Amino acid sequence: MPLHDNRKGKLFIIGIGPGSPDQMTGQAREALLQSEVIIGNDTYLSQIGSLINGKEIIRSSMGQEVERAKRSIELSRSRIVSMVSGGDAGIYGMASIVLEVLEHEPCSVPVRVIPGITAANAAASLLGSPLSGDFAAVSLSDLLTPLEVIERRLHAAFSMGTPVVLYNPKSRGRPHHFALAMEIAGRYREAATPVGIVKNAYREGEEIMVTTLGEIMHAEAAVDMHTTVIVGGEESRIWRNGDDVKGIITPRGYHKKYVY
Ligand code: SAH
């Protein structure tokens, strides 16, 4: 579906990026400006405040994702609707549930998923270049995935030897998942492995911390639900400028081929 077409209703599923409006794509901005109705939860709506002035706003809470998806489809039969997710809507976001509900609805509303900068990109950029090549991502939230499946995935991810990005590392309801993940990481990685902790990337309250797997439990208090954690891979190292810790570098392998 083109961004502009003259059918009556349509549905955009938009990733608005990590927070600051600067981190939203031009395409996401244009879709929001075109929309008549905007649906999302409060955190995301407040991040895009000035772009959605004068539009009908439907605020929804966490835990109401299925109703939110149904409502957005219903409204998009006759109006231009944007459903907003933080980061990228297709990565731990609302895109799949909207598409799944649509599979069961006999309706031909044009739908378009618009990508956004996901927390892994945002956090990685603030740490330097900790991902660089292959990496794995695991969410520690057991709201939709049983804990034993998460544990199995953590073993698989850390056994790859690549950096691992942890989404949803901790929340009040599951304070111990992070310690469990670090314990599993320790079985596959040396204590000197760098770990980056990025809280509130590109939004108010931004904090960036670099530590090591051996020291990580001293930094545990800094980890919460607004944080993304990147555990380095076998080749990752701390990026320094003199004595200053600047971030994390995971070499892509150019040093094996070139002298620089
Ligand atoms: N769809 C989102 C992820 C939603 S899951 C995306 O693509 O980024 C929520 C988790 O994402 C949080 O618990 C946190 O781990 C991470 N996250 C989202 N925004 C973040 C930000 N601005 N800074 C750091 N982590 C963030």
Side-chain angles (χ1 to χ4, degrees):
M1 179 189 68
L3 207 53
H4 293 280
D5 74 10
N6 37 22
R7 273 176 284 192
K8 209 158 178 343
K10 59 183 150 183
L11 178 56
F12 294 116
I13 306 172
I14 302 181
I16 59 166
S20 139
D22 297 351
Q23 301 289 328
M24 193 189 302
T25 68
Q27 197 179 46
R29 184 181 304 271
E30 198 184 322
L32 283 175
L33 290 172
Q34 257 190 56
S35 297
E36 298 160 288
V37 184
I38 315 282
I39 305 186
N41 79 27
D42 261 335
T43 319
Y44 306 143
L45 293 171
S46 63
Q47 285 171 15
I48 51 173
S50 61
L51 282 172
I52 57 175
N53 284 344
K55 299 179 186 291
E56 183 178 339
I57 309 289
I58 300 179
R59 290 171 198 281
S60 162
S61 326
M62 300 279 266
Q64 296 174 350
E65 287 83 2
V66 177
E67 292 88 284
R68 202 189 310 168
K70 288 187 168 161
R71 184 100 192 264
S72 68
I73 293 166
E74 209 39 61
L75 288 163
S76 64
R77 290 174 200 275
S78 57
R79 307 174 75 187
I80 304 175
V81 179
S82 275
M83 142 90 67
V84 298
S85 273
D88 182 272
I91 301 178
Y92 310 116
M94 287 292 299
S96 57
I97 180 62
V98 176
L99 302 185
E100 282 181 277
V101 172
L102 262 177
E103 273 185 325
H104 303 295
E105 306 248 340
C107 102
S108 58
V109 172
V111 183
R112 177 149 185 185
V113 181
I114 295 184
I117 294 178
T118 188
N121 293 136
S125 71
L126 293 169
L127 289 164
S129 189
L131 300 181
S132 307
D134 296 339
F135 68 93
V138 180
S139 164
L140 301 189
S141 168
D142 62 358
L143 286 178
L144 300 171
T145 306
L147 184 57
E148 54 275 22
V149 175
I150 298 173
E151 278 191 65
R152 205 166 68 224
R153 290 177 184 172
L154 285 168
H155 280 279
F158 285 114
S159 72
M160 284 171 54
T162 63
V164 176
V165 183
L166 299 175
Y167 281 74
N168 295 299
K170 216 200 263 174
S171 77
R172 252 162 286 147
R174 48 189 162 79
H176 308 302
H177 291 194
F178 182 66
L180 175 70
M182 294 302 101
E183 189 268 311
I184 294 173
R187 299 198 214 171
Y188 297 90
R189 294 281 192 292
E190 290 173 7
T193 303
V195 179
I197 300 172
V198 178
K199 187 184 288 192
N200 290 312
Y202 297 101
R203 62 188 183 210
E204 210 183 314
E206 181 178 277
E207 282 177 39
I208 303 155
M209 194 185 281
V210 177
T211 178
T212 61
L213 198 50
E215 299 286 317
I216 185 69
M217 292 321 280
H218 300 301
E220 200 206 348
V223 176
D224 63 14
M225 62 188 291
H226 307 293
T227 309
T228 295
V229 176
I230 300 183
V231 180
E234 283 162 357
E235 302 192 34
S236 306
R237 54 184 158 81
I238 290 186
W239 166 34
R240 288 179 206 277
N241 185 1
D243 287 338
D244 285 352
V245 171
K246 303 281 284 179
I248 300 174
I249 298 179
T250 301
R252 270 191 76 196
Y254 288 108
H255 61 287
K256 295 179 210 149
K257 268 189 112 168
Y258 303 98
V259 177
Y260 50 90

